[in-house]
Amino acid sequence: MPDMLRTRKRAGPIAALIVALATLPLALAACGGGTSSDGASSSAKGGGDVEVFTWWAAGSEKLGLDALVGVFKTQHPEYKFVNGAVAGGAGSAAKDLLQSRLQAKDPPDTFQAHAGKELTDYIDAGQIEDISALYDQFKIRDVFPADLLKLLTVDGKIYSVPSDIHRANMVWANPSVLTAAGLDPKAKYDTIEAWFPALDAVKAKGKTALSVATTWTQVNLLETVLISDLGTDGYIGLWDGSTDWKGADVTKALEDFKKLMSYTNKDRDGLDWPEATQMIIDGKAAFNVMGDWAVAAFEEQKQVAGKDFIYFPVPGTDGTFDFLADSFTLPVGAKNPDGAKAWLETVSSLEGQTAFNKAKGSIPARTDANPADFSVYQQTAITSFGKDTIVPSLAHGAASSIAVLNAIADATSKFTTGASDLKTYQSELAAAVAL
Amino acid sequence: MPRQIRQWGPPLLLISPSLIIVGVFVYGLIAINVKTSMTDVHKAAQATGRAPSHFVWFENFATLLGSDAFQHSLKNLLLFTAVFLVGTMVMGFLWAWLLDRPARGEGIFRSVYLFPMAVSFIASGVVWRWLLNSNQGEMASGLNRLFQIVGLGFLQNNWWNNVNVGIAAIALPAIWQLSGYVMALFLAGFRGIPEELREAGRIDGASEWKLYRYVLFPQLSPVALAAVIIIGHMSLKTFDLIMSISKPANYQTKVPAIDMYVFKSSFNYADSAAVGVILLVIVAVLIVPYLVRTARTEKN
């Protein structure tokens, strides 16, 4: 390079371009490198590698996976667990790689997927097997709640085994910020409407009333407002076509959503959920709507439930469990299907679910787990899961296919950045669901 | 005939591996991409052949170019490219011009200006995401906080979160990274001009400005053009920087490359391929006339 700079020769246009291009790769040093794995080398019955594809690569998710692997090793010592975890982008990096691998007919032996409608694409594409028979073989039809099995069943067939349940309609709050704003931390809000005065009070103190992060967390907020304003039947109707997206009640919900967004932090689009939850821990914000994985963020920082932070269902959604679940599948053409089935058996077993969820902070999908094994928050979630109405989460792939979710996210981002008005937003949402 | 083979054979044999590889992996895949863009494969099932797909000619292109969302992406791309190009050209030229004069520590400055280029867009994007935090007032951080500290509080703005011109803020880190590269190009251009020409100009009584205007600038134009082409085509394909500063779903920072990614992750392969074709055409519009022009110049 220095030589090039010193040459006193007239550079022709081609020469200039060649020199320029020759140094270009330096500028393009991007981060890349896909993981390629051969998967199982031996698929002989009763042994070999089992490649388990997840996006559980760090934090409590990693701990959960490790615990589950521990149980797998005890239950099925003949198989070797191969970790196919891909980090990054809350699962988006993993999903992208998975998409290519399935397209190339090189599937892992089993992969993690959100239970519910997000599986539709894989099912329609013929990429995952119907595993209803395993439900009978493992005798697990009765151990999962009927509501959940109904949401997992497509045309009478079940394609995945749920490993854990999360609840998306939770509010996390900092009681000292609330007290400073003259609010009673124990106050109950019956509707979103009733919540506004409290948010106003915090806003008046110059704090962020409601912290939120990038688009998907805004979609998470939107779905809880929809559940609150439309009720569980109205909300479920949005996904089976019996509720009109263009109706006046949806307009009302979107108005509430718009008002809620006016209380949020301005840097939201650059943040992800841990940063928004951190604002509660740091006392910079009063409320945060986030799924119950947030409890792990509080506990990691030695925050005590009830004293340092409080939680309650999003106003107007008490008695509703906005669920999302991780689940495992059996891909068509898996190299070691027996190994994959052994993994699914461990995932569905009581020991597996208990070990995994204790570490991950979620709750078991099985109803026969012993609540005493779990933390205070988890115990309340287990109780709610047992008695509440279960509705599928939009932001986490239980309620809609990926294409619909992406279209809703696009419309939401356009709306919350101020590029579209409420009327346009509503019609774009209606169009998105029709995809 | 054998003589002709002897003349053509060995060179052909030598370049054939790269010809074949480029043929398959570049032009072959472009052809497949164009084909996909003209089908109605909008769902996963169609991609695996479990559901029927049809050839629809230019329907996807018409839908895309007619949609508000994609027009917004194109507008963003145009704005980004304009700011990025002007920024790197001005900064790069300025630095090269300063360094062209015999200055002490030239080597150090040259390295300092070039170093940002060695950082990947992903890594610098993370840092710039903090710097370009859009909080203002009490919550401010990053550059907004810096403005407050130095008493320029009125300069605070919401950076890339501005729905109309936010994408221009993302051009800042891009300019920061590539100005040094443009500087290197211009510096090579300056050094390529024989000292005698300057001396001759001075003897003829040309002022410094006239010397630049009539002697140096004309000789730099091929370099400038090369720089525009390189920065321009990088800018059109920009993706990683936006991904690491913003998020793919954020409306304010959508560009066609991001749309392509989102379509692909929605299993909408046809629209994704169509965006790819549109990008290819845009880049070709920029580069092909340049190649034609240079080919002509070389011939003369």
Side-chain angles (χ1 to χ4, degrees), chain A residues 20 30 64 88 108 122 129 131 159 162 197 207 212 254 295 313 324-325 327 347-348 352-353 385 415 427:
Chain A
Y122 302 122
E129 304 271 10
I131 54 169
Y159 292 88
K207 300 256 184 186
V212 79
L254 296 183
V295 77
L324 59 130
S327 69
V347 167
S348 67
Q353 298 236 328
F385 187 61
F415 179 64
S427 64

Side-chain angles (χ1 to χ4, degrees), chain A residues 1-2 4-14 16-17 19-21 23-24 26-31 92 96 99-100 103 121-127 206 208 214-215 265-267 269-272 275 279 284 402-403 406 409-410 413-414 417-419 435, chain B residues 43-45 47-48 50 68 110 114 117-122 129 133-135 138-139 160-161 163 178 181 184-185 187-188 191-193 195 219 222-223 226 229-230 233-234 240 245 247-252 254 261-262 264-267 269 290-291 293-294 298:
Chain A
M1 190 81 157
M4 174 193 108
L5 299 184
R6 288 198 186 91
T7 24
R8 303 205 165 247
K9 213 185 104 206
R10 191 183 182 283
I14 283 279
L17 190 66
V19 170
L21 285 176
T23 53
L24 194 61
L26 280 175
L28 298 179
C31 86
S92 63
D96 268 338
Q99 201 181 345
S100 319
Q103 197 74 27
D121 293 302
Y122 302 122
I123 297 170
D124 289 348
Q127 288 167 329
T208 300
T214 190
T215 309
N265 43 311
K266 296 283 167 284
D267 63 344
D269 283 332
L271 310 180
D272 211 334
E275 291 146 304
M279 290 174 71
K284 288 181 183 160
I402 294 175
N406 279 346
D410 279 351
S413 175
K414 190 172 170 185
T417 47
L435 274 180
Chain B
K43 299 228 177 320
T48 51
R50 300 243 311 179
D68 289 345
R110 215 166 51 204
L114 262 177
M117 206 176 85
V119 183
S120 88
F121 272 139
I122 295 288
R129 187 173 71 216
N133 186 302
S134 58
N135 273 336
E138 277 179 46
M139 310 278 277
W160 56 270
N161 283 308
V163 68
L178 281 162
Y181 180 60
L185 293 180
L187 203 50
R191 298 285 152 85
I193 300 168
E195 195 58 41
Q219 306 222 34
V223 177
I229 300 285
I230 288 161
H233 95 276
M234 283 183 70
D240 38 7
I245 293 180
K247 302 271 186 331
N250 286 340
Y251 180 78
Q252 60 272 46
K254 289 256 184 192
Y261 173 80
V262 174
K264 191 239 156 203
S265 68
S266 315
F267 300 92
Y269 295 104
Y290 172 76
L291 291 179
R293 205 197 78 129
T294 30
E298 303 275 305

Side-chain angles (χ1 to χ4, degrees), chain B residues 167-184:
Chain B
I167 192 79
I170 299 208
L172 286 181
I175 294 169
W176 173 78
Q177 279 200 269
L178 281 162
S179 292
Y181 180 60
V182 174
M183 173 207 74

Side-chain angles (χ1 to χ4, degrees), chain B residues 206-218:
Chain B
S207 66
E208 264 314 275
W209 163 243
K210 278 186 174 161
L211 195 67
Y212 274 97
R213 173 70 188 79
Y214 297 106
V215 179
L216 298 182
F217 285 171

